[in-house]
Amino acid sequence: MKTPNAPATDNEIIPRMPSTDTMGRPMSDLRISVTDRCNFRCTYCMPFDEYTWMDRHEVLSFEEIERLARVFVGLGTSHIRLTGGEPLVRSNLDQLIGRLSRLAPNFDLSLTTNGALLAEQAGSLYDAGLRRINVSLDTLKPGRFKEITKRGNLDEVLAGIRQAKKVGMSPVKINAVIIRGINEDEILDLVTFARTNALEMRFIEYMDVGNANAWSLDKTVTKKEILEIVQARFPLREIGRAEGSAPAVDYEFIDGGGEIGIIGSVTEPFCSSCTRVRLTADGKLVTCLFAETGVDLKAILRGGISDEELQEKIAAIWTGRADRYSDLRWESLSSSAGYRPRDHKKIEMITLGG
Ligand code: SAM
Ligand code: SF4
Ligand code: SF4
């Protein structure tokens, strides 16, 4: 029998009636940031050289992440995405993939990476159980790639994408943030690149994540604009959102050339179907990408608590969730009141994970 304060678990998933939040949204997707560190300095995400990095002792261990993931799966979470910062800078990430991929049958595990270290790690990640991967790639021009990422090398990322395909990952999706005046002239080149290499292209509207980027609405190339540019060259048919709750609206090429997705986070917000919960690398539970704070699960975990009690706490947080930041932002942007990103002190994207 478990004692109430037993931090150890018997590695079993404890199924519990899934909770929904105040808007009826289930907690089906968990995004885990495995580190706040990154080998790039993308202008739209973390443009500064130095941040106040998390103390390494504050970062969740693989054991702690696995335990929390198991608790979430018991609460009805069916998708886990690893992210960061850059997840591949966390040492021995394949070991965490191995632990998570064995959590439950029919359970979906994926990872988002900038691809710089992917060529060397794709094989071990695949062997550990990773099948689905998203690689961020905003440009196919080496000079522009350097300007956007500051520290990145395009050839290394392209090699990483090739290696992910070679080892058998499927699908390999490409994420591109489109910013006016920076890379909107490459939308068709990116689509052609994806079609030629059997990759799935995902375009993302530029957002005011964190507090470090210099976002303004005029820099966001809208979902509608992106769609029109692609449609004019490659006719598309709308498929809709995967499982009704994915951020991207998917489209298929009428000529059979595959699919693309467009994430209209700013101009076509999808809060009403948002099933995503986030865990920061230092163990804070955050219920919205634009949240100002989170709940310190690590402190609760390290203080000694049973899995059942942990489930109760997480379920209570989720049940009280009322987040709809992007809906409200769009209402403000569309009204005379306007919207000032700096009025909102958000957690940085590198801490939260995208
Ligand atoms: N480092 C990894 C990467 O770049 O793929 C994972 C973390 S990154 C924060 C996750 C995703 O967020 C990336 O696809 C990135 O392009 C996206 N992202 C970062 N800043 C963004 C912004 N201001 N607007 C829209 N997407 C953004
Ligand atoms: Fe790093 Fe990803 Fe942010 Fe770029 S988008 S700075 S690669 S965390
Ligand atoms: Fe979900 Fe928050 Fe984004 Fe809305 S703003 S879709 S609630 S993460």
Side-chain angles (χ1 to χ4, degrees):
M1 198 180 107
K2 288 189 186 75
T3 59
N5 279 343
T9 72
D10 49 13
N11 291 345
E12 272 174 25
I13 290 173
I14 306 167
R16 187 185 186 283
M17 194 64 157
S19 328
T20 52
D21 68 9
T22 60
M23 292 166 66
R25 301 169 293 190
M27 190 176 59
S28 17
D29 301 84
L30 172 63
R31 300 204 170 185
I32 304 175
S33 172
V34 295
T35 176
D36 63 336
R37 299 185 185 232
C38 187
N39 41 5
F40 286 8
R41 287 292 181 278
C42 301
T43 49
Y44 52 74
C45 177
M46 49 184 303
F48 306 138
D49 269 336
E50 284 303 322
Y51 288 80
T52 308
W53 305 109
M54 285 172 195
D55 186 287
R56 288 187 195 281
H57 295 104
E58 298 303 321
V59 173
L60 293 177
S61 68
F62 288 169
E63 289 76 11
E64 288 171 325
I65 294 176
E66 182 188 357
R67 181 173 172 207
L68 285 169
R70 194 181 315 114
V71 165
F72 275 95
V73 170
L75 285 164
T77 296
S78 51
H79 304 265
I80 292 184
R81 175 173 296 277
L82 300 185
T83 176
E86 171 48 37
L88 300 194
V89 304
R90 175 100 188 234
S91 306
N92 305 317
L93 190 74
D94 56 330
Q95 293 175 10
L96 178 63
I97 296 283
R99 286 167 177 265
L100 297 181
S101 63
R102 289 190 293 270
L103 267 189
N106 305 322
F107 161 74
D108 181 52
L109 181 64
S110 59
L111 178 141
T112 302
T113 172
N114 64 27
L117 301 173
L118 188 55
E120 58 197 73
Q121 293 188 31
S124 58
L125 295 172
Y126 184 90
D127 290 345
L130 185 68
R131 296 291 177 270
R132 305 201 315 108
I133 196 161
N134 287 38
V135 184
S136 299
L137 177 69
D138 309 311
T139 174
L140 295 165
K141 299 182 188 219
R144 185 177 281 179
F145 188 86
K146 187 61 104 186
E147 274 167 32
I148 293 176
T149 63
K150 298 287 188 297
R151 302 181 179 182
N153 176 320
L154 177 62
D155 284 340
E156 287 173 3
V157 175
L158 296 177
I161 293 168
R162 277 195 301 275
Q163 191 63 17
K165 294 270 308 171
K166 192 170 167 191
V167 300
M169 291 203 196
S170 177
V172 177
K173 297 187 182 179
I174 306 298
N175 287 1
V177 179
I178 303 298
I179 305 178
R180 201 175 310 282
I182 303 290
N183 63 345
E184 81 267 40
D185 57 337
E186 287 194 73
I187 291 173
L188 286 178
D189 289 348
L190 286 163
V191 170
T192 304
F193 169 76
R195 282 167 55 98
T196 311
N197 294 288
L199 305 160
E200 281 186 33
M201 199 62 224
R202 288 271 171 287
F203 291 109
I204 309 174
E205 282 186 352
Y206 177 38
M207 300 180 277
D208 59 316
V209 295
N211 313 290
N213 74 9
W215 179 89
S216 60
L217 180 61
D218 57 313
K219 291 185 191 152
T220 296
V221 180
T222 67
K223 172 173 170 288
K224 184 166 175 284
E225 288 175 279
I226 296 168
L227 188 58
E228 280 169 6
I229 290 169
V230 181
Q231 277 275 27
R233 172 72 183 81
F234 301 107
L236 296 164
R237 183 184 305 118
E238 182 170 332
I239 305 172
R241 294 183 196 277
E243 297 177 29
S245 64
V249 178
D250 292 330
Y251 300 84
E252 62 185 2
F253 295 109
I254 286 175
D255 68 3
E259 291 180 11
I260 65 164
I262 312 180
I263 305 183
S265 339
V266 176
T267 65
E268 295 182 23
F270 37 84
C271 297
S272 60
S273 60
C274 177
T275 54
R276 282 169 292 286
V277 62
R278 292 176 157 84
L279 190 61
T280 65
D282 61 352
K284 304 236 171 35
L285 178 76
V286 180
T287 56
C288 178
L289 183 54
F290 298 92
E292 297 184 13
T293 52
V295 176
D296 193 351
L297 287 188
K298 183 189 73 215
I300 299 172
L301 198 70
R302 291 186 183 173
I305 188 170
S306 70
D307 283 1
E308 288 93 336
E309 287 169 312
L310 206 46
Q311 281 193 332
E312 288 303 324
K313 283 199 184 297
I314 296 170
I317 295 165
W318 189 260
T319 309
R321 177 191 191 234
D323 301 292
R324 50 187 293 266
Y325 189 93
S326 292
D327 277 353
L328 297 174
R329 176 181 49 210
W330 187 236
E331 283 170 18
S332 299
L333 283 165
S334 313
S335 79
S336 55
Y339 169 75
R340 289 202 308 249
R342 296 207 181 281
D343 289 351
H344 307 265
K345 181 110 185 68
K346 297 160 245 144
I347 304 173
E348 287 300 334
M349 182 90 147
I350 50 157
T351 309
L352 262 184

